[in-house]
Amino acid sequence: MLKTDVLIIGAGPVGIFAAFEAGMLGMKSVIVDCLDQVGGQCSALYPEKPIYDIPAYPKILAGDLIEKLKEQADRFSPEYLLSNQVVSFKEMENKFLVKTDKNIEIEAKIIIIAAGSGAFGPNRPPLENIREYEGKSVFYMVKKAEDFRGKKIAIAGGGDSAIDWAVILSNVAEKIYLVHRRDKFRAAPASLEQVNEIAKTGKIEFVFPYQLRALQGQDGILDKLILYDLEGNEKSLDVDCLLAFFGLSMELGPIREWGLELKTNHISVDKVSCMTNIDGIYAIGDVANYEGKLKLILTGFAEAASALHHSYKRVFDGKALHFEYSTSKNIENI
């Protein structure tokens, strides 16, 4: 059994920053995440996508942001339990006992839920034998653009992910086919302008109105992608890989059964403290819901600080918090 002051569920940017805030207050933390890497969606879905609204960074790649946050939190040595999902929960006297699907038990004084919109997985297109190709030539996320250098890529989808990755991968790919069921995209106007400009060079080719019908290849290696239009006419593309961006399936999983006050797939919290309806359990980041909520990473950072400061008395048996700014704490000696 692991014993800690703070159990943080979710190793995304907000969860990692919560570990830093816990350390600043002298609290030990354990971070649990069902993914096999830290960073949440920033690492799993768009590590090479730039973010523009992080204070002091006019532009930073999502993957680089996670590295900086982890470096910041590592000063306090949080323990990471990756590839673990919390499956059971029990309230005890002034503490909680949870168990993961790997049979690891964690005793914590408080719980911080920083699970984004819950555990997530891709919405798979209904193609026969698609799992045989996954990880080899069919992908739902891009970890490194360089992995696709010189490839002929079909990108399927009509949202920001499809458009953004078409722009980014056009710098390394031999050819990109942008496949969509209609000729309108749900993406930022500036990104659409970029795609249209690149299409004039022939590097990107629009393929619509078409949908995915079948994969052709051997041993998980894709040779041809078969499409069909609204009249049932087929079209074949010679491609090396398929990137399917049809969104994510988000679920809170077992947390839904904890007795927390929920609104759709989000946890209702007090706006000031971020505490849920269960004393000692907090929710921060995208999973937290209150009137006027802004779903921004920087909002989650502020919520992490608020939740940890509010929890201080519970963690330290009623001891009052003497507030100090980081510049006064001599953090280099911590």
Side-chain angles (χ1 to χ4, degrees):
M1 179 186 292
L2 297 176
K3 292 188 178 183
T4 189
D5 295 318
V6 185
L7 169 62
I8 301 167
I9 301 175
V14 173
I16 298 172
F17 187 72
F20 168 76
E21 281 293 321
M24 289 285 286
L25 294 171
M27 304 176 191
K28 295 185 298 182
S29 62
V30 171
I31 306 179
V32 176
D33 200 290
C34 59
L35 297 179
D36 61 359
Q37 59 184 340
V38 301
Q41 294 186 45
C42 285
S43 295
L45 298 184
Y46 46 86
E48 296 186 7
K49 187 174 179 180
I51 301 175
Y52 300 98
D53 60 354
I54 301 299
Y57 287 100
K59 172 184 175 182
I60 186 170
L61 299 182
D64 291 342
L65 173 64
I66 297 305
E67 287 301 316
K68 292 291 186 182
L69 286 166
K70 190 172 183 301
E71 179 185 345
Q72 185 181 36
D74 281 350
R75 178 187 300 274
F76 303 110
S77 303
E79 184 164 357
Y80 292 90
L81 295 179
L82 303 178
S83 300
N84 275 267
Q85 183 181 27
V86 172
V87 292
S88 69
F89 157 82
K90 181 181 179 181
E91 286 189 73
M92 303 167 65
E93 186 176 356
N94 295 321
K95 64 185 69 172
F96 303 97
L97 181 64
V98 302
K99 182 184 287 187
T100 76
D101 58 351
K102 302 294 191 297
N103 289 319
I104 299 173
E105 291 187 328
I106 307 152
E107 182 184 288
K109 296 178 181 178
I110 67 163
I111 295 175
I112 304 281
I113 302 173
S117 294
F120 62 87
N123 287 322
R124 291 181 171 85
L127 300 176
E128 185 178 358
N129 301 326
I130 190 170
R131 291 181 183 269
E132 296 177 13
Y133 293 86
E134 290 177 353
K136 296 179 180 179
S137 55
V138 172
F139 305 92
Y140 305 105
M141 59 190 71
V142 178
K143 293 185 177 180
K144 292 183 179 179
E146 192 62 30
D147 293 341
F148 296 88
R149 180 168 292 280
K151 303 284 189 182
K152 290 177 287 186
I153 308 169
I155 296 180
D160 283 309
S161 293
I163 296 300
D164 289 344
W165 280 116
V167 171
I168 295 169
L169 293 175
S170 67
N171 295 312
V172 297
E174 177 185 333
K175 176 84 173 185
I176 293 176
Y177 298 97
L178 197 48
V179 181
H180 190 37
R181 69 182 186 276
R182 56 197 184 101
D183 61 358
K184 302 250 185 235
F185 293 90
R186 305 176 312 279
S191 299
L192 290 174
E193 287 182 17
Q194 285 184 281
V195 163
N196 287 323
E197 286 300 313
I198 298 170
K200 292 176 183 178
T201 70
K203 199 69 176 285
I204 294 177
E205 181 178 330
F206 295 109
V207 185
F208 47 69
Y210 280 94
Q211 299 185 66
L212 307 180
R213 169 153 283 174
L215 305 170
Q216 289 185 1
Q218 190 172 2
D219 298 325
I221 305 302
L222 189 62
D223 293 322
K224 291 183 183 294
L225 179 65
I226 310 302
L227 313 173
Y228 70 98
D229 64 14
L230 297 176
E231 282 74 45
N233 301 309
E234 289 193 350
K235 181 181 182 71
S236 174
L237 298 178
D238 294 326
V239 295
D240 300 305
C241 52
L242 166 66
L243 297 177
F245 295 121
F246 297 117
L248 300 172
S249 175
M250 302 282 192
E251 286 296 334
L252 282 175
I255 293 176
R256 182 174 286 278
E257 309 303 321
W258 286 15
L260 298 167
E261 183 180 335
L262 303 176
K263 185 175 182 179
T264 60
N265 212 38
H266 299 80
I267 301 171
S268 297
V269 300
D270 175 73
K271 186 174 183 177
V272 175
S273 67
C274 292
M275 191 160 72
T276 68
N277 59 302
I278 298 178
D279 188 26
I281 299 183
Y282 300 79
I284 60 177
D286 284 358
V287 76
N289 178 69
Y290 52 81
E291 186 178 354
K293 168 78 177 193
L294 284 176
K295 285 192 173 184
L296 297 173
I297 293 176
L298 59 89
T299 303
F301 291 162
E303 291 167 350
S306 296
L308 269 304
H309 279 75
H310 185 270
S311 71
Y312 189 88
K313 283 187 177 181
R314 179 184 174 99
V315 171
F316 294 108
D317 300 321
K319 180 181 177 182
L321 172 62
H322 173 61
F323 178 81
E324 290 181 276
Y325 293 107
S326 63
T327 52
S328 307
K329 285 195 173 187
N330 196 12
I331 189 173
E332 296 299 331
N333 293 326
I334 295 178

